Amino acid sequence: MATKEEILQNFNPNEIGIDNGNLLGLPFDYESANIIVFGVPWEVTVSYGGGTASGPARVLEASRQLDIYDFDNPEGWKQGIFMVEIPAHIQQKNEALRQDATLIIEHLKQGDRIEDNPHLSQVLKNIDRECQNVNQWLFDNATAAINQGKKVAVIGGDHSVPLGYIQALAQHYPDFGILHIDAHADLRDAYEGFQYSHASIMFNALQLPQISKLVQVGIRDICQDEINIIQQSNGRISTYYDPMLKQKLYAGIPWLELCKQIVAELPQQVYISFDVDGLDPKLCPNTGTPVPGGLELEQTYCLFRELLHSGRQIIGFDVCEVGDGEWDGNVGARAVYKLCNLMG
């Protein structure tokens, strides 16, 4: 097997990206890579548009169209990035359970209670159990990579996907913050009855005492319960709502200044959770729950750069809710590669 030095010597980053099963056609394997990327094709609890389970495959496919030079880290690719094969067993389970979840969601839309229906109550328990199995799979695989000194990235699937990885980081870091880009606050307690709903990811993550701060950016679709959780969090959650950010921009406050204010709220070590519906929907039109408004991709990069300029460290990230579209995959691949290079 080739050493990392041999791999670097024999690879020409100016050539066309080859279809070798890895992001950008990079020449690394699990052993030689410093960043391990897990694609998790899971969207069982999606409540609006489907297709995000195809996100990891779309990102992988589109990534070969990207040029490897990165303005923030021109030799970032040399750290070694390897995307593990997308797990077929999770994809198959997702397709089967998606139908079951739709039954539950349709039942709720009729105004009926799941508790009054023994069959659907059992279906719901089964979905929660299978979601927990996916969490455990990701926890085990992320932990194994972290224990080998590697960094980890996750591509969803819907936004429920990264919980197992966040739990793995909590075993490794006694104190860290989450920088959360999203149109939604994701602070619902078991949304639509599903304990591991895509709308509950931050509610579930905050059960981990190691997460000292959650800073949310771009939020513009939110319910009163979530507002209450934010207001009653004693400063543990800071939310930068999209309409308020826009108002400040219209008043002439530079985006860079706003980025500095946002970053100042975070602790030394930061996990980035990037739901692409935090972006303007023109960038990822096939995302699961698009909302008008949102950020430009460069605005998020500027924010991430400010995080590093402040001396803080990116310890991991996810990019979720990439829809089943060629353009969505293209934008998602750029976000994944940029975050790999910034994390490195």
Side-chain angles (χ1 to χ4, degrees), residues 186-200:
D186 290 347
L187 291 167
R188 304 271 200 151
D189 182 0
Y191 183 58
E192 295 181 327
F194 303 113
Q195 186 181 353
Y196 300 106
S197 166
H198 65 101
S200 304

Side-chain angles (χ1 to χ4, degrees), residues 4-200:
K4 189 163 184 178
E5 288 67 34
E6 288 167 337
I7 290 170
L8 292 174
Q9 265 175 355
N10 295 323
F11 180 71
N12 182 354
N14 303 299
E15 293 285 351
I16 186 170
I18 58 167
D19 184 2
N20 63 355
N22 196 17
L23 282 168
L24 286 91
L26 290 171
F28 304 98
D29 57 14
Y30 191 100
E31 294 309 313
S32 58
N34 192 40
I35 295 178
I36 304 299
V37 182
F38 295 102
V40 187
W42 189 255
E43 59 169 358
V44 168
T45 66
V46 155
S47 49
Y48 186 61
T52 63
S54 302
R58 282 296 192 172
V59 166
L60 176 60
E61 184 187 340
S63 71
R64 293 191 292 275
Q65 300 303 317
L66 273 57
D67 272 318
I68 287 174
Y69 187 92
D70 180 85
F71 288 101
D72 291 299
N73 189 355
E75 297 199 329
W77 65 273
K78 290 185 176 177
Q79 67 192 310
I81 301 166
F82 176 70
M83 184 170 175
V84 174
E85 188 175 350
I86 297 166
H89 73 281
I90 290 179
Q91 183 106 42
Q92 286 156 5
K93 188 71 78 172
N94 171 74
E95 283 157 18
L97 290 176
R98 187 79 195 89
Q99 310 305 317
D100 291 345
T102 303
L103 288 177
I104 289 171
I105 293 167
E106 289 305 318
H107 195 75
L108 290 169
K109 281 180 182 171
Q110 303 306 315
D112 299 323
R113 283 157 35 98
I114 299 301
E115 306 90 271
D116 300 338
N117 185 315
H119 169 65
L120 286 182
S121 295
Q122 195 52 50
V123 168
L124 180 60
K125 274 187 191 151
N126 183 47
I127 289 172
D128 279 344
R129 186 173 61 248
E130 293 296 349
C131 287
Q132 177 52 37
N133 288 342
V134 172
N135 291 339
Q136 189 64 48
W137 177 88
L138 185 55
F139 175 88
D140 292 343
N141 281 278
T143 299
I146 292 167
N147 288 343
Q148 289 183 47
K150 297 179 187 293
K151 291 169 180 168
V152 172
V154 170
I155 306 171
D158 72 27
H159 208 169
S160 70
V161 154
L163 185 61
Y165 174 32
I166 297 170
Q167 290 167 336
L169 285 172
Q171 301 280 301
H172 200 73
Y173 294 97
D175 170 68
F176 65 100
I178 296 179
L179 175 57
H180 173 207
I181 311 291
D182 208 319
H184 312 88
D186 290 347
L187 291 167
R188 304 271 200 151
D189 182 0
Y191 183 58
E192 295 181 327
F194 303 113
Q195 186 181 353
Y196 300 106
S197 166
H198 65 101
S200 304

Side-chain angles (χ1 to χ4, degrees), residues 123-344:
V123 168
L124 180 60
K125 274 187 191 151
N126 183 47
I127 289 172
D128 279 344
R129 186 173 61 248
E130 293 296 349
C131 287
Q132 177 52 37
N133 288 342
V134 172
N135 291 339
Q136 189 64 48
W137 177 88
L138 185 55
F139 175 88
D140 292 343
N141 281 278
T143 299
I146 292 167
N147 288 343
Q148 289 183 47
K150 297 179 187 293
K151 291 169 180 168
V152 172
V154 170
I155 306 171
D158 72 27
H159 208 169
S160 70
V161 154
L163 185 61
Y165 174 32
I166 297 170
Q167 290 167 336
L169 285 172
Q171 301 280 301
H172 200 73
Y173 294 97
D175 170 68
F176 65 100
I178 296 179
L179 175 57
H180 173 207
I181 311 291
D182 208 319
H184 312 88
D186 290 347
L187 291 167
R188 304 271 200 151
D189 182 0
Y191 183 58
E192 295 181 327
F194 303 113
Q195 186 181 353
Y196 300 106
S197 166
H198 65 101
S200 304
I201 177 64
M202 292 305 155
F203 182 90
N204 291 333
L206 286 172
Q207 307 312 305
L208 297 165
Q210 293 90 336
I211 297 170
S212 55
K213 186 81 184 192
L214 170 63
V215 177
Q216 306 182 297
V217 182
I219 312 301
R220 54 195 186 276
D221 210 12
I222 194 167
C223 74
Q224 185 64 53
D225 278 351
E226 292 174 301
I227 295 273
N228 295 344
I229 286 173
I230 292 163
Q231 289 175 343
Q232 292 159 17
S233 72
N234 294 319
R236 191 180 178 206
I237 307 171
S238 289
T239 304
Y240 288 81
Y241 300 102
D242 193 56
M244 284 66 163
L245 286 172
K246 293 288 197 318
Q247 199 66 27
K248 289 179 177 178
L249 288 170
Y250 302 152
I253 298 172
W255 176 246
L256 200 58
E257 189 53 47
L258 295 173
C259 288
K260 286 176 177 163
Q261 290 173 24
I262 293 165
V263 166
E265 300 232 34
L266 287 158
Q268 179 60 28
Q269 287 165 322
V270 180
Y271 176 85
I272 294 175
S273 192
F274 192 169
D275 182 329
V276 297
D277 70 29
L279 298 169
D280 184 310
K282 69 174 183 268
L283 292 164
C284 285
N286 296 295
T287 188
T289 40
V291 184
L295 302 166
E296 293 295 336
L297 190 60
E298 261 321 316
Q299 284 182 298
T300 67
Y301 292 172
C302 180
L303 178 57
F304 302 155
R305 285 184 198 109
E306 278 312 298
L307 187 69
L308 293 179
H309 290 162
S310 74
R312 289 168 174 83
Q313 179 195 8
I314 299 170
I315 59 171
F317 73 87
D318 65 73
V319 174
C320 288
E321 304 277 353
V322 175
D324 189 8
E326 192 176 335
W327 177 241
D328 302 67
N330 186 309
V331 172
R334 291 173 191 281
V336 169
Y337 186 51
K338 175 62 75 178
L339 280 164
C340 282
N341 286 326
L342 291 173
M343 183 163 69

